Amino acid sequence: METDKDQPGYELDSAPKMWIEHRKQKKRLVDFSFGADPSSDTQPLRTHTKVLWNTAGDAVAIQFQERHYSHLSVYRLKGDLSDPESFLACPLPVDGEIIQKLVPRFKEFRSRWFQHPDAWIDDHTLL
């Protein structure tokens, strides 16, 4: 996984693009933006990102941290490791929609939950 601050359009208070690359083939498998607010803290970008691969190497959970929040993205490999095509984003349930059903009086809800990927239980289940 790489980041690049020398890309066109990068500004000081923005986060650089990130990507997952197959190193042997030098092939980019997915491009994505930093999943949190890069200005919410003064720590460097590398301390705000946690990457957790499953044992097969065909899925990855990426946690992006802010000062009071964290966000989780999950990507799964399309193709196989010897000839990868791309990584596809796996949709996750939205916290606010879950809370809204439990507490209907909240019109707008942004939880102070932290989404922490702890471990892959197997190659398909993230804890």
Side-chain angles (χ1 to χ4, degrees):
M1 196 162 95
E2 300 284 338
T3 61
D4 182 9
K5 290 184 179 180
D6 294 330
Q7 60 193 329
Y10 175 74
E11 296 177 14
L12 185 60
D13 287 337
S14 66
K17 289 284 184 192
M18 302 174 85
W19 65 86
I20 298 173
E21 178 180 290
H22 190 281
R23 291 194 135 182
K24 288 183 182 176
Q25 295 179 357
K26 300 290 185 201
K27 179 181 178 181
R28 257 187 217 190
L29 301 174
V30 67
D31 289 311
F32 53 93
S33 298
F34 181 71
D37 180 6
S39 302
S40 77
D41 208 340
T42 58
Q43 298 175 3
L45 182 64
R46 67 182 167 270
T47 64
H48 285 291
T49 307
K50 175 184 175 182
V51 178
L52 187 63
W53 290 90
N54 70 353
T55 55
D58 63 357
V60 61
I62 306 169
Q63 177 191 27
F64 305 99
Q65 256 182 283
E66 298 180 33
R67 184 178 309 228
H68 300 293
Y69 307 97
S70 70
H71 311 275
L72 181 65
S73 295
V74 178
Y75 294 92
R76 181 157 296 279
L77 181 66
K78 181 179 179 185
D80 57 55
L81 291 175
S82 60
D83 187 26
E85 293 177 37
S86 64
F87 270 88
L88 302 173
C90 299
L92 298 173
V94 179
D95 294 343
E97 291 175 9
I98 296 169
I99 300 294
Q100 184 76 39
K101 290 179 182 179
L102 297 172
V103 187
R105 283 188 247 155
F106 283 108
K107 299 295 180 205
E108 185 177 331
F109 187 82
R110 183 174 180 195
S111 69
R112 290 210 176 218
W113 289 0
F114 283 87
Q115 298 173 330
H116 293 285
D118 288 328
W120 288 91
I121 296 172
D122 56 33
D123 290 334
H124 303 283
T125 309
L126 179 66
L127 180 63

